[in-house]
Amino acid sequence: MELLKDLTLILLVTTIVGHYCTRIGIPAVIGQLLVGVIMGPAILGWLHLTHELDSFAEIGVIILMFIAGLESDLQLLKRYLKPSVLVAALGVLVPVAGSYIVARAYQLPFVESLFISVIFAATSVSISVEVLKEMNALSSREGTTILGAAVVDDVLAVVILSVLVSTTGTAVGDTGSSNLLITTIEQIIYFAAIYFVVRWVAPYMAKIGEKLMIPMGSTLMAIILCFGMAYVAELVGLSNVVGAFFAGIAISQTSARETVDHHIEPIGYALFIPVFFVSIGLNMSFKGLGHQVWFIVILTVVAVLTKQFGAGIGAKMAGFSWSSSMAVGAGMVSRGEMALIIAQIGFQAKLMSSMRYSAIVAAIILATLLAPFLLRWTMNRVEKESQREKDEMKSA
């Protein structure tokens, strides 16, 4: 009963807010995030992140990243592998350094400062994916680089987290093993197995789906692959969105791509994906934050700028124009669920005090709220620059 009430409220309000956000030119995802902040514990207290809602949100981000993989061009991803690695590397190193300096400036302990820096190294590309989809730029040079870099970024963040937790002697949630070497080997095997999934497993499953004498057989097989790869990714200490993204890429290489894409979007966008974006806002609470306002503001500004310019410089080094580089950087700013998950792991592992945990969550959500605006603004600049170049070529 409680779940039905919460879902009805979420879907009703996000539908209305999303409509008016789109109408006035604001990304619909911003409205959904704000619905979570306003209706959640932070302000009205009408909604709370229950275990059931959290499960719906988890499925939402998995489906969202599966769709992103499904709509990605594998050849473009291969082509932009080098820029993606550069963007991810600098997009991790610069925020780690910046966040660590802020934490130490506030005289936080060494381990806690180091852990906070790891939190802000992470990128959650799910919100950027939504904005890029709204702008029809998911398969653009910038969009493809952002997607590729986000996957590398997740791997780097998990590796850094594993090293930190191993050296401080605390177990990390459900990574499957506290032994860093074993975890790393498991992750390498996982990425090697992706080739076999793309090459043989996904096409075989797509063929079985086409022969099944039930409605949406191909889509069901695709969802089984998506959830299975997401589960195994978590099992080896990676984010489940990494598994879902590669499952989408695997299905995109089969004859079932269009059918699955046509069926999966209504499932995601009608229910699970709005719940995911609202759930991010539900994590916010203003309790006890009054005396930490400047810490939150400075940390948010540093989190945004270090990711924007760190990833942007990586893109520039890979040969992008400045406007394209800033768009790529903006696409990496959002921290979202990835940073929240790492923060939760650290809080449970007692690597971070409860006092700082709320402030960190607030900074994560503020950075996540700013990210879509930055991405839309920088992508509009790229489009204008591209149009200007085309006009100049025509006049010449």
Side-chain angles (χ1 to χ4, degrees), residues 251-334:
I251 295 295
S252 75
Q253 302 305 299
T254 70
S255 57
R257 175 181 182 168
E258 286 187 21
T259 304
V260 174
D261 196 21
H262 179 70
H263 288 153
I264 199 78
E265 283 208 2
I267 295 170
Y269 284 97
L271 178 58
F272 295 104
I273 294 171
V275 175
F276 161 64
F277 287 124
V278 169
S279 75
I280 294 176
L282 293 179
N283 279 290
M284 191 151 187
S285 172
F286 297 132
K287 192 180 287 183
L289 294 182
H291 59 287
Q292 297 192 76
V293 170
W294 283 112
F295 176 69
I296 294 166
V297 169
I298 293 167
L299 198 56
T300 303
V301 170
V302 169
V304 170
L305 293 181
T306 52
K307 202 66 151 176
Q308 170 91 56
F309 289 101
I313 290 165
K316 182 64 180 170
M317 287 169 65
F320 283 65
S321 67
W322 272 115
S323 58
S324 288
S325 298
M326 288 301 100
V328 170
M332 301 293 287
V333 164
S334 173

Side-chain angles (χ1 to χ4, degrees), residues 115-350:
F115 184 75
I116 288 170
S117 71
V118 175
I119 292 170
F120 288 97
T123 291
S124 171
V125 79
S126 48
I127 289 165
S128 298
V129 163
E130 187 61 21
V131 176
L132 291 166
K133 276 172 66 65
E134 283 182 24
M135 299 182 75
N136 296 314
L138 194 59
S139 294
S140 65
R141 187 187 182 203
E142 294 79 15
T144 305
T145 304
I146 289 166
L147 281 171
V151 172
V152 179
D153 194 301
D154 271 2
V155 175
L156 288 174
V158 168
V159 169
I160 295 169
L161 179 64
S162 301
V163 170
L164 178 61
V165 172
S166 296
T167 53
T168 54
T170 316
V172 183
D174 299 318
T175 56
S177 173
S178 59
N179 187 299
L180 178 61
L181 180 62
I182 293 173
T183 303
T184 306
I185 291 168
E186 287 173 347
Q187 291 170 4
I188 291 167
I189 292 169
Y190 181 83
F191 282 108
I194 287 170
Y195 172 78
F196 294 96
V197 171
V198 174
R199 188 77 176 82
W200 289 291
V201 178
Y204 182 67
M205 290 181 74
K207 284 177 184 174
I208 292 174
E210 288 166 7
K211 291 176 182 176
L212 288 173
M213 297 177 70
I214 55 172
M216 296 195 292
S218 297
T219 305
L220 283 168
M221 294 306 288
I223 291 173
I224 289 167
L225 182 66
C226 170
F227 287 178
M229 288 184 70
Y231 170 71
V232 177
E234 279 212 343
L235 213 57
V236 299
L238 293 166
S239 168
N240 54 29
V241 298
V242 173
F245 178 71
F246 280 112
I249 286 177
I251 295 295
S252 75
Q253 302 305 299
T254 70
S255 57
R257 175 181 182 168
E258 286 187 21
T259 304
V260 174
D261 196 21
H262 179 70
H263 288 153
I264 199 78
E265 283 208 2
I267 295 170
Y269 284 97
L271 178 58
F272 295 104
I273 294 171
V275 175
F276 161 64
F277 287 124
V278 169
S279 75
I280 294 176
L282 293 179
N283 279 290
M284 191 151 187
S285 172
F286 297 132
K287 192 180 287 183
L289 294 182
H291 59 287
Q292 297 192 76
V293 170
W294 283 112
F295 176 69
I296 294 166
V297 169
I298 293 167
L299 198 56
T300 303
V301 170
V302 169
V304 170
L305 293 181
T306 52
K307 202 66 151 176
Q308 170 91 56
F309 289 101
I313 290 165
K316 182 64 180 170
M317 287 169 65
F320 283 65
S321 67
W322 272 115
S323 58
S324 288
S325 298
M326 288 301 100
V328 170
M332 301 293 287
V333 164
S334 173
R335 299 315 202 276
E337 82 288 345
M338 190 63 191
L340 290 170
I341 289 165
I342 294 174
Q344 182 66 18
I345 288 169
F347 182 60
Q348 289 173 346
K350 295 181 171 50

Side-chain angles (χ1 to χ4, degrees), residues 86-98:
L86 273 170
V87 167
L90 284 169
V92 165
L93 290 173
V94 178
V96 163

